[in-house]
């Protein structure tokens, strides 16, 4: 009886002793989160994995964000969504120096993993860094340098990682998350370009895991995550603190520029001055050419890209590809052209009226553009139509016949 009680008392101590076995791996694994940069590709920040081996005096950073823009087919592949990225290795101090030069801070989260889990991840990263394994197809919101780092830690350590919710009650969309970074960086024109070309699939609400395609959200996700029942992050510290330069404030924003243009064109449209009419003929040709080009680009990207980010784009309703050929004959006074612009006017007004019901967030700078389209379509649709030459010839013949009869 006494022996059984003694064993019952000693059993938890044995378990505690087994759980508290010393880590002999000499490895330290941490997640590095880099703040946004000035360039568009760095606006959303960056993520990397740091592996420190104190026994071998190795301090290496594994970076899934390497790409080669010297490829002659780079821009063609980029247009189709075929972005080939690669895993690269950099000494930690070299990595830190590069971000110091770019004036970008780095936050380090040391992970609380067992020695065996660290060794597994280290071996997986080394294997992934081999030339034959390091390349992957990059998709900016589903498979990027941040999601790759997360998946390696979650899948290759063998730890049971659980992410707690980091999102507000009203979940944001992919576009909402992207906008928050672009607005903070003052990337107004880039925001307009992204909103024009990326379709309604970006307006789906994100899940907790999907939000972690952005470095800051992965950082928060790790802060609130557990591994095998204990906090995943053992320590969090600033590896590099740099005060970024605030974005310059400018009035040269899309909404200001297009609103000013709408005001000018509206005033000229009601003018009877001959020079104003001549200017508007040239303006309409250039304007509808650009709108038609945008519409053609929207349709083309939706058709040729291998992902779905450009599909179901409602901007194609107002940016009609048919404007492209019409721009070359916009000055003609034809009945069919009059009907065309009347249809464009109605379609544009309907799009503006249904603005808040469209299942896609349309950039606010599009509103004054819609105003210009509606304004010029209205005037083009109500221009006097030139009579056909055949009709004129018939009238001349009839007049001549009448004169002969009178004579």
């Amino acid at each position: 009886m006494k022996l059984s009680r003694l064993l019952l008392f000693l059993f938890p101590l044995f378990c505690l002793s087994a759980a508290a076995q010393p880590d002999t791996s000499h490895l330290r694994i941490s997640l590095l989160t880099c703040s946004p940069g000035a360039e568009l590709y760095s606006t959303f920040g960056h993520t990397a994995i740091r592996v420190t081996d104190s026994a071998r005096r190795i301090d290496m950073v594994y970076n899934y964000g390497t790409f080669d823009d010297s490829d002659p087919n780079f821009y063609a592949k980029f247009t189709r969504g075929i972005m080939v990225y690669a895993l690269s290795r950099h000494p930690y101090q070299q990595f830190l120096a590069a971000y110091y030069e770019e004036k970008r801070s780095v936050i380090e989260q040391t992970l609380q993993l067992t020695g065996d889990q660290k060794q597994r991840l280290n071996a997986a990263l080394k294997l992934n860094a081999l030339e034959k394994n390091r390349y992957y197809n990059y998709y900016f919101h589903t498979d990027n340098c941040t999601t790759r780092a997360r998946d390696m830690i979650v899948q290759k350590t063998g730890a049971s990682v659980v992410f707690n919710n980091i999102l507000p009650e009203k979940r944001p969309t992919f576009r909402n998350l992207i906008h928050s970074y672009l607005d903070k960086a003052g990337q107004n024109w880039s925001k307009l370009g992204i909103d024009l070309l990326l379709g309604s699939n970006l307006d789906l609400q994100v899940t907790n895991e999907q939000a972690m395609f952005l470095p800051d959200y992965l950082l928060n996700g790790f802060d609130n995550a557990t591994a095998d029942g204990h906090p995943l992050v053992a320590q969090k510290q600033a590896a590099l603190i740099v005060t970024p330069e605030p974005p310059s404030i400018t009035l040269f924003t899309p909404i200001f520029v297009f609103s000013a243009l709408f005001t000018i064109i509206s005033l000229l449209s009601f003018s009877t001055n001959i020079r104003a009419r001549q200017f508007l003929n040239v303006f309409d040709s250039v304007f509808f050419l650009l709108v038609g080009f945008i519409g053609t680009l929207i349709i083309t990207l939706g058709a040729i890209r291998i992902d779905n980010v450009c599909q179901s784009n409602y901007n194609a309703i107002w940016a009609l590809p048919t404007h492209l050929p019409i721009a070359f004959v916009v000055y003609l006074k034809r009945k069919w052209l009059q009907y065309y612009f009347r249809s464009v006017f109605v379609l544009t007004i309907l799009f503006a009226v249904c603005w808040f019901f469209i299942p896609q967030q349309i950039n606010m700078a599009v509103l004054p553009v819609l105003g210009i389209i509606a304004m010029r379509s209205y005037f083009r649709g109500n221009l006097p139509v030139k009579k056909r030459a055949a009709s004129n010839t018939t009238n001349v013949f009839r007049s001549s016949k009448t004169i002969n009869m009178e004579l």
Side-chain angles (χ1 to χ4, degrees):
M1 187 68 178
K2 291 182 179 180
L3 180 61
S4 62
R5 289 182 179 180
L6 181 62
L7 291 175
L8 186 64
F9 174 75
L10 293 177
F11 181 74
L13 296 180
F14 289 138
C15 294
L16 181 64
S17 176
Q21 287 181 354
D23 181 2
T24 59
S25 67
H26 304 289
L27 295 174
R28 184 167 69 92
I29 307 292
S30 55
L31 187 76
L32 302 178
T33 303
C34 311
S35 64
E39 301 296 331
L40 179 59
Y41 70 86
S42 62
T43 298
F44 307 101
H46 186 50
T47 301
I49 299 175
R50 180 186 181 187
V51 178
T52 306
D53 188 337
S54 57
R56 297 177 176 81
R57 297 183 179 181
I58 296 174
D59 197 354
M60 198 66 63
V61 173
Y62 290 84
N63 174 17
Y64 280 94
T66 306
F67 64 94
D68 182 15
D69 59 358
S70 63
D71 183 352
N73 297 319
F74 175 80
Y75 290 104
K77 292 178 179 178
F78 176 80
T79 302
R80 291 196 59 213
I82 306 174
M83 291 290 291
V84 179
Y85 272 53
L87 170 63
S88 59
R89 299 173 54 184
H90 311 279
Y92 174 67
Q93 291 302 325
Q94 179 182 328
F95 178 86
L96 217 57
Y99 279 86
Y100 178 80
E101 288 292 326
E102 295 181 15
K103 296 183 179 180
R104 299 170 63 183
S105 300
V106 179
I107 302 297
E108 182 175 18
Q109 294 168 292
T110 303
L111 305 184
Q112 191 172 186
L113 301 170
T114 65
D116 181 57
Q117 290 168 348
K118 295 174 186 177
Q119 288 176 339
R120 289 180 184 179
L121 179 58
N122 187 38
L125 287 169
K126 288 181 178 179
L127 180 64
N128 203 179
L130 296 177
E131 185 64 23
K132 62 180 180 179
N133 300 328
R134 56 190 294 258
Y135 299 97
Y136 70 99
N137 289 328
Y138 175 95
Y139 302 104
F140 81 95
H141 71 305
T142 56
D143 191 358
N144 60 22
C145 51
T146 299
T147 61
R148 286 265 163 170
R150 176 200 62 192
D151 294 344
M152 287 296 291
I153 293 170
V154 172
Q155 298 173 8
K156 301 301 181 180
T157 59
S160 178
V161 179
V162 177
F163 290 105
N164 294 314
N165 182 57
I166 58 172
L167 296 177
E169 184 177 351
K170 184 180 179 181
R171 290 185 296 156
T173 65
F174 286 104
R175 198 183 302 271
N176 293 150
L177 297 180
I178 293 171
H179 280 181
S180 66
Y181 284 83
L182 295 173
D183 291 339
K184 188 176 181 180
Q187 297 272 8
N188 298 298
W189 289 97
S190 297
K191 178 181 176 180
L192 173 62
I194 287 173
D195 284 345
L196 287 179
L197 299 180
L198 301 187
S200 59
N201 289 323
L202 238 66
D203 292 276
L204 300 174
Q205 290 182 323
V206 297
T207 64
N208 199 52
E209 283 72 22
Q210 287 174 334
M212 296 178 196
F213 80 97
L214 293 168
D216 288 340
Y217 284 83
L218 182 60
L219 182 147
N220 292 334
F222 270 42
D223 275 342
N224 293 277
T226 59
D228 298 327
H230 57 73
L232 176 60
V233 176
Q235 183 182 7
K236 181 180 177 181
Q237 62 181 1
L240 177 63
I241 300 178
V242 181
T243 304
E245 295 182 0
S248 57
I249 300 176
T250 177
L251 288 176
F252 191 71
T253 61
I255 187 71
F256 176 82
V257 171
F258 296 150
S259 296
L261 184 61
F262 170 69
T263 303
I264 294 171
I265 296 303
S266 298
L267 293 174
L268 291 176
S269 296
F270 288 98
S271 174
T272 57
N273 185 280
I274 187 64
R275 291 188 180 275
R277 298 297 179 189
Q278 292 172 347
F279 171 80
L280 288 173
N281 282 335
V282 177
F283 173 82
D284 288 349
S285 294
V286 175
F287 176 72
F288 283 106
L289 182 69
L290 291 175
V291 174
F293 173 77
I294 293 172
T296 303
L297 184 60
I298 289 171
I299 298 297
T300 302
L301 289 176
I304 69 172
R305 282 187 67 92
I306 62 175
D307 55 17
N308 65 353
V309 295
C310 293
Q311 296 175 6
S312 303
N313 192 337
Y314 286 81
N315 284 302
I317 296 176
W318 64 266
L320 295 173
T322 52
H323 290 335
L324 197 60
I326 290 295
F328 294 97
V329 294
V330 71
Y331 58 89
L332 296 178
K333 297 179 180 180
R334 298 287 186 270
K335 195 69 177 178
W336 66 268
L337 203 56
Q338 189 181 62
Y339 289 145
Y340 175 83
F341 279 112
R342 287 179 180 177
S343 301
V344 170
F345 173 78
V346 173
L347 186 63
T348 304
I349 295 299
L350 287 175
F351 187 88
V353 170
C354 299
W355 182 277
F356 295 103
F357 302 100
I358 298 171
Q360 177 178 336
Q361 186 176 348
I362 308 298
N363 194 287
M364 288 299 295
V366 171
L367 269 178
V369 176
L370 293 179
I372 297 173
I373 295 174
M375 179 70 66
R376 296 311 305 151
S377 296
Y378 175 80
F379 280 94
R380 286 288 167 190
N382 289 279
L383 285 176
V385 177
K386 184 178 179 180
K387 294 182 179 180
R388 293 183 179 180
S391 299
N392 293 337
T393 303
T394 302
N395 292 334
V396 171
F397 174 76
R398 289 176 178 174
S399 299
S400 301
K401 187 175 180 180
T402 303
I403 293 171
N404 291 333
M405 290 178 65
E406 290 176 353
L407 291 175

